[in-house]
Amino acid sequence: MSTRMSDLWADGLQRLRHEPTEMRVRLRSDGRELVDTTRALLVWEPRRVVPSYAVPVADLQVELTPSEQAATPPPDGILHPLIPFAAHSSAGQVMDVGDAVGAGFRTEDPALAEYVVLDFNAFDEWLEEDEQLVSHPREPFHRVDVRPSSRTVRIELDGVVLAESSRPAMVFETTLPTRFYLPREDVVAELLPSERRTSCAYKGHAIYYSVAGSADLMWSYQEPLPEAKALAGLIAVYDDVVDVYIDGKLRTKPGGALAEALRQEFDMSS
């Protein structure tokens, strides 16, 4: 019997996983280059949905020492990008990387014995070849496909129309619900600027907008990364918490463990 690919992905979440890359990976912090390697690995601890970089200890240009900081017990369920690096779901030793306390982790797995996994957010700058990374390492199995569409998308919140467009951009992103990005002029709700900011490794830095009665409901990439340039200036909405009509038909709200984890993290509920 055929197996759905997303089910295979979900089954693999319970394992410690890694994937080699031929990219030159460099790490800089406090004006120093700490790593320059072509032997990096992408590593996913069990239940993690985004990878961290692991580098050969021999390629680390700073002292690596066992840390007095203990690993934090991870929460149950999927470990999405906002769960701190310190919440380790595999056996191993927390390490200090120079002055960065707890920024490294050496797993007990023999396949990774010569490597140290590094906390992306503990350092100033990561580069793949000559391109600076945003938010976390990108993985080779993740796609973000932006497709222009002539389908009509109507967004409602508690029966009030927030936006309606017959020229949306549909965003199909691996493991995530389909998102709908609309021209700003097709948003009829008053957009109230928000202080919230987030970053996506594949799309770039997002700014947020609130609408009356709902904070941080919509977002936009003003200067997206090159792979997502078609999204520049468009407005997206958390369709997990609003009603989305496609060509007049109400769309079922996104579900699944990952959607639920993200909904809880962003303090959203359907």
Side-chain angles (χ1 to χ4, degrees):
M1 180 178 293
S2 180
T3 300
R4 186 173 177 173
M5 288 295 294
S6 58
D7 291 338
L8 290 177
W9 176 85
D11 289 343
L13 279 177
Q14 303 302 321
R15 302 181 181 183
L16 176 64
R17 297 146 285 152
H18 74 274
E19 184 69 23
T21 177
E22 290 191 65
M23 289 189 187
R24 181 189 184 191
V25 174
R26 286 177 287 170
L27 170 59
R28 297 169 180 165
S29 202
D30 295 327
R32 298 179 58 193
E33 186 156 277
L34 307 184
V35 173
D36 185 347
T37 186
T38 57
R39 301 187 294 158
L41 300 176
L42 293 163
V43 173
W44 297 257
E45 288 193 67
R47 297 188 283 118
R48 287 277 183 190
V49 295
V50 300
S52 296
Y53 263 126
V55 303
V57 174
D59 291 349
L60 192 64
Q61 304 302 311
V62 68
E63 186 178 10
L64 185 69
T65 56
S67 181
E68 294 183 2
Q69 177 177 296
T72 302
D76 294 334
I78 287 175
L79 303 180
H80 53 76
L82 298 181
I83 300 297
F85 175 82
H88 295 293
S89 55
S90 59
Q93 171 68 57
V94 178
M95 308 296 291
D96 294 341
V97 183
D99 295 331
V101 176
F105 186 70
R106 300 197 71 174
T107 78
E108 294 181 359
D109 192 285
L112 305 178
E114 303 303 318
Y115 284 79
V116 58
V117 186
L118 298 177
D119 182 357
F120 186 91
N121 294 314
F123 306 99
D124 294 339
E125 185 180 29
W126 289 84
L127 294 96
E128 290 178 344
E129 298 298 336
D130 293 336
E131 181 176 340
Q132 185 172 355
L133 298 182
V134 173
S135 186
H136 60 78
R138 288 174 285 194
E139 60 170 281
F141 312 109
H142 192 103
R143 291 179 62 99
V144 179
D145 294 316
V146 181
R147 298 289 184 266
S149 176
S150 58
R151 289 194 281 174
T152 298
V153 175
R154 186 172 80 252
I155 309 293
E156 296 186 5
L157 180 63
D158 298 329
V160 177
V161 175
L162 304 181
E164 186 167 5
S165 180
S166 58
R167 46 181 183 163
M170 306 287 203
V171 176
F172 304 95
E173 184 167 359
T174 306
T175 72
L176 295 179
T178 303
R179 296 298 189 193
F180 310 96
Y181 284 71
L182 312 181
R184 181 163 182 157
E185 51 267 36
D186 292 346
V187 178
V188 297
E190 181 183 5
L191 298 181
L192 307 172
S194 167
E195 294 183 359
R196 182 177 176 81
R197 299 290 186 270
T198 61
S199 298
C200 170
Y202 306 95
K203 297 186 287 293
H205 301 289
I207 62 173
Y208 281 72
Y209 300 97
S210 300
V211 301
S214 188
D216 304 334
L217 185 67
M218 299 185 180
W219 71 90
S220 179
Y221 293 94
Q222 299 299 296
E223 297 180 355
L225 296 174
E227 295 86 348
K229 63 182 180 181
L231 299 181
L234 301 182
I235 305 293
V237 63
Y238 281 115
D239 45 307
D240 312 62
V241 300
V242 297
D243 291 324
V244 179
Y245 292 83
I246 308 294
D247 290 334
K249 184 177 179 180
L250 180 63
R251 181 173 181 267
T252 301
K253 287 183 172 63
L258 180 55
E260 180 61 26
L262 292 173
R263 185 179 299 121
Q264 292 177 2
E265 183 63 37
F266 289 112
D267 195 26
M268 296 273 185
S269 63
S270 58

